[in-house]
Amino acid sequence: MLSDIDWNLIKEAIVNLEYTAEPNKPDTRKEIRLNKENLTDNWRCYMYGKKDKQYSYKVKYIYHDGKEILGETKTDTRDTLMIDDLLTSRAKASFDLILDPATVQTAKIEILYEDTSKGVKEEFSKWFTASETWDWSMRLQEGSGKSFKYRHFVQYKDGIVATQSLDRC
């Protein structure tokens, strides 16, 4: 068993395997824990004379922030199973800020990504003191939408703060 998981976000992946042709026999189930230090593991299963190589597995993902997501039960017959994370695509945007150093002290961009169907709410922000391009991206769970909201704040040298209302991308 191999893994292709973003270990910067996910602390541990717990894989529960079961041989489906003999699900209630000894040695036909195994729990494997994958993490940044333990990227691979093995499972040997006695097949009780069956030729069917199909097994089922389910993965629980434990994130560094304590959030847990349980993946769907899947079946396979491969000798080497690749465990991926649920983060299969990206939301991304590029922000080009051009600040007038004579009038602008700082600027800030705030991004809100929310997918209520997946129970995900993430906030990102970045301060700017000079003209700059910010390429923002975040990995998304399987089936998640890619739209997000953002807003701009500008603090001028005379103390005035201007805010542009939320936009949707």
Side-chain angles (χ1 to χ4, degrees):
M1 176 178 306
L2 302 171
S3 64
D4 182 21
I5 294 176
D6 185 348
W7 298 114
N8 293 321
L9 297 173
I10 297 174
K11 180 180 177 182
E12 186 174 38
I14 302 170
V15 184
N16 285 291
L17 301 139
E18 181 175 35
Y19 180 51
T20 53
E22 291 288 346
N24 297 315
K25 299 277 186 173
D27 300 328
T28 59
R29 293 181 183 189
K30 183 168 183 181
E31 179 179 279
I32 293 176
R33 294 178 171 265
L34 302 173
N35 55 48
K36 192 173 187 175
E37 289 77 36
N38 184 36
L39 300 174
T40 65
D41 206 330
N42 293 305
W43 175 43
R44 300 221 183 263
C45 174
Y46 186 70
M47 297 172 61
Y48 292 90
K50 307 278 186 183
K51 295 193 184 284
D52 185 2
K53 293 176 67 177
Q54 183 170 305
Y55 54 91
S56 65
Y57 67 98
K58 186 180 272 197
V59 184
K60 180 195 283 187
Y61 302 91
I62 301 172
Y63 289 74
H64 287 286
D65 66 4
K67 180 172 59 173
E68 296 183 6
I69 295 178
L70 186 61
E72 296 178 17
T73 300
K74 298 180 182 181
T75 60
D76 213 313
T77 59
R78 291 178 283 178
D79 291 336
T80 302
L81 178 64
M82 175 68 79
I83 301 295
D84 296 318
D85 55 32
L86 297 174
L87 309 169
T88 59
S89 63
R90 289 190 179 276
K92 57 185 175 180
S94 184
F95 298 93
D96 293 318
L97 267 70
I98 299 173
L99 305 181
D100 178 2
T103 59
V104 176
Q105 183 174 334
T106 60
K108 181 182 182 184
I109 295 178
E110 291 182 343
I111 297 172
L112 171 64
Y113 175 84
E114 190 168 22
D115 187 334
T116 54
S117 69
K118 299 285 185 185
V120 176
K121 184 176 181 179
E122 298 282 340
E123 296 179 25
F124 305 87
S125 65
K126 180 167 171 117
W127 284 97
F128 301 86
T129 57
S131 297
E132 183 180 342
T133 297
W134 179 34
D135 293 318
W136 167 81
S137 71
M138 72 174 278
R139 291 185 71 182
L140 301 173
Q141 294 181 26
E142 188 174 317
S144 294
K146 293 186 177 182
S147 66
F148 58 91
K149 297 176 183 179
Y150 70 97
R151 63 182 165 186
H152 309 275
F153 295 89
V154 179
Q155 182 176 2
Y156 293 94
K157 290 192 174 182
D158 63 5
I160 295 174
V161 176
T163 303
Q164 184 175 355
S165 62
L166 294 171
D167 298 315
R168 182 171 287 284
C169 287

